[in-house]
Amino acid sequence: MTEEEIAQLSTEELVESLKEAGYSKKAKLLKKRIIDISRELEKSLRETNSKELNRIIHDIGTSSHYVLFKFRGEELRIHSIDTQTALFEKIHQSEHTFHYLPLQVDFSNRLGEFYGLDIQVDEDPAKINLDMNPETYDKILAINENELDRMIDNEPFQISLFLKAFKANDQKIDQITYSNGKTDKMEDAFLFIPAEEYIWSINYRNVNNNQIIATSSPFKKFFEVVQLSVVDYLTSKVDKKVEKKDEKFFSFKRGFIFYWKSNVFLLFSILLFLLNKNSWAKDGDSYVWVFGIQLEALLMILSFIACLRPRV
């Protein structure tokens, strides 16, 4: 025998139907039970959200470094948490969305999608390494649209391809910035210009003969390199942060370790005296006690000094 659906009512409709049928008490009990369940669900949800929010606020507040991506008014920030995890923060129209992601996971496709690029494109039709002197590079950045069009028509093919991508990108160079989370000071940057089927990355430092090199590469390869640089930057900064955290200015633990180690040495020294106790003078015990008390007082002072962090 198959079950047949006879009626379907909302909770409010069921309560009203019971009232109309004269079962007011039953309707009141049902309504109260539903309200209690609703409150419990709201409380549970609020507590869950509160814990997650507190964790996010704490991690952002203590994050020492982050990597920033910008595209068409949107921002993506990847905050350093520890050597295994990062906090991703996406900002769209003043609305912040957060999620945690293991750094071992491939998130290069997320970076490509953020810029609206097809990360699956794994071919570079250009295959170009373009050398530019700083004067030419600065001229391109400051040029107006008419002059840019003339350069596109008159420059060699390789430079023309770069200029076309620059024009299509609203005559700007995008950058990924690596910043200190405490001061918002930029420590490094990754410059690039997306083209139609590939991407130009711009190397402006540590290049021979002061040349600036623009290199074409597939979307997939480019964002895989970006991910490696992001992971390397964030994890290296986390390691330094942990080292500094362990080196507190004042630590009883450091002082206690010094104190018990030095007392082991003191006890060993007194035992050496006791080996020839039979040959001591009558007041030899007093001198040993004075020696032990004075040395113990000195060790306590040195233990207090050991609590302080050594200057580097």
Side-chain angles (χ1 to χ4, degrees), residues 52-108:
E52 287 298 320
L53 181 59
N54 289 339
R55 179 189 177 191
I56 289 168
I57 296 300
H58 173 267
D59 286 340
I60 290 179
T62 57
S63 176
S64 61
H65 291 79
Y66 66 89
V67 182
L68 173 63
F69 304 79
K70 287 185 177 182
F71 182 65
R72 293 180 181 174
E74 291 191 357
E75 290 187 10
L76 174 64
R77 293 177 184 240
I78 305 178
H79 300 271
S80 63
I81 302 301
D82 53 44
T83 56
Q84 305 295 322
T85 313
L87 175 61
F88 283 62
E89 176 187 8
K90 190 172 183 180
I91 306 171
H92 174 67
Q93 295 181 351
S94 299
E95 184 176 304
H96 299 245
T97 305
F98 300 92
H99 68 274
Y100 290 89
L101 198 69
L103 290 173
Q104 295 81 4
V105 172
D106 180 12
F107 56 84
S108 59

Side-chain angles (χ1 to χ4, degrees), residues 48-282:
T48 303
N49 290 340
S50 178
K51 289 178 183 177
E52 287 298 320
L53 181 59
N54 289 339
R55 179 189 177 191
I56 289 168
I57 296 300
H58 173 267
D59 286 340
I60 290 179
T62 57
S63 176
S64 61
H65 291 79
Y66 66 89
V67 182
L68 173 63
F69 304 79
K70 287 185 177 182
F71 182 65
R72 293 180 181 174
E74 291 191 357
E75 290 187 10
L76 174 64
R77 293 177 184 240
I78 305 178
H79 300 271
S80 63
I81 302 301
D82 53 44
T83 56
Q84 305 295 322
T85 313
L87 175 61
F88 283 62
E89 176 187 8
K90 190 172 183 180
I91 306 171
H92 174 67
Q93 295 181 351
S94 299
E95 184 176 304
H96 299 245
T97 305
F98 300 92
H99 68 274
Y100 290 89
L101 198 69
L103 290 173
Q104 295 81 4
V105 172
D106 180 12
F107 56 84
S108 59
N109 58 330
R110 293 173 182 248
L111 303 179
E113 289 170 1
F114 176 76
Y115 290 100
L117 301 174
D118 185 2
I119 192 67
Q120 301 307 319
V121 175
D122 198 15
E123 291 188 12
D124 174 15
K127 297 182 177 66
I128 297 173
N129 277 339
L130 180 63
D131 293 1
M132 288 182 286
N133 58 54
E135 292 76 18
T136 302
Y137 182 74
D138 292 338
K139 180 182 177 182
I140 291 172
L141 293 182
I143 201 170
N144 63 46
E145 189 173 354
N146 292 332
E147 291 175 341
L148 181 59
D149 289 335
R150 281 196 294 271
M151 283 189 71
I152 291 173
D153 293 335
N154 298 325
E155 292 291 338
F157 176 70
Q158 291 183 335
I159 297 180
S160 179
L161 283 177
F162 178 81
L163 295 175
K164 286 178 180 177
F166 179 66
K167 180 181 178 181
N169 201 44
D170 299 326
Q171 291 187 218
K172 64 182 179 65
I173 294 177
D174 293 322
Q175 66 176 10
I176 302 166
T177 56
Y178 302 71
S179 303
N180 186 306
K182 305 298 183 183
T183 62
D184 270 347
K185 183 179 179 182
M186 185 180 71
E187 296 182 344
D188 203 351
F190 209 124
L191 305 183
F192 66 98
I193 301 175
E196 188 173 343
E197 297 179 323
Y198 56 96
I199 202 162
W200 292 96
S201 57
I202 300 170
N203 187 355
Y204 60 97
R205 295 188 306 182
N206 303 323
V207 179
N208 294 331
N209 301 322
N210 248 354
Q211 293 290 297
I212 294 171
I213 297 182
T215 305
S216 65
S217 58
F219 296 143
K220 184 177 180 64
K221 182 179 179 181
F222 174 80
F223 286 108
E224 285 175 350
V225 171
V226 170
Q227 173 172 343
L228 289 174
S229 72
V230 168
V231 172
D232 181 64
Y233 178 75
L234 295 182
T235 54
S236 66
K237 298 301 180 181
V238 167
D239 288 341
K240 291 179 181 178
K241 182 176 68 174
V242 170
E243 287 175 9
K244 290 180 181 178
K245 188 184 292 183
D246 290 341
E247 285 294 322
K248 297 177 181 177
F249 177 73
F250 189 89
S251 171
F252 282 110
K253 183 179 179 181
R254 280 197 300 266
F256 178 74
I257 291 173
F258 175 85
Y259 182 72
W260 75 260
K261 284 184 176 179
S262 57
N263 269 279
V264 169
F265 173 77
L266 175 59
L267 179 62
F268 180 74
S269 302
I270 293 175
L271 288 174
L272 288 177
F273 281 120
L274 293 174
L275 289 176
N276 60 347
K277 185 178 180 181
N278 294 332
S279 60
W280 288 1
K282 291 182 179 181

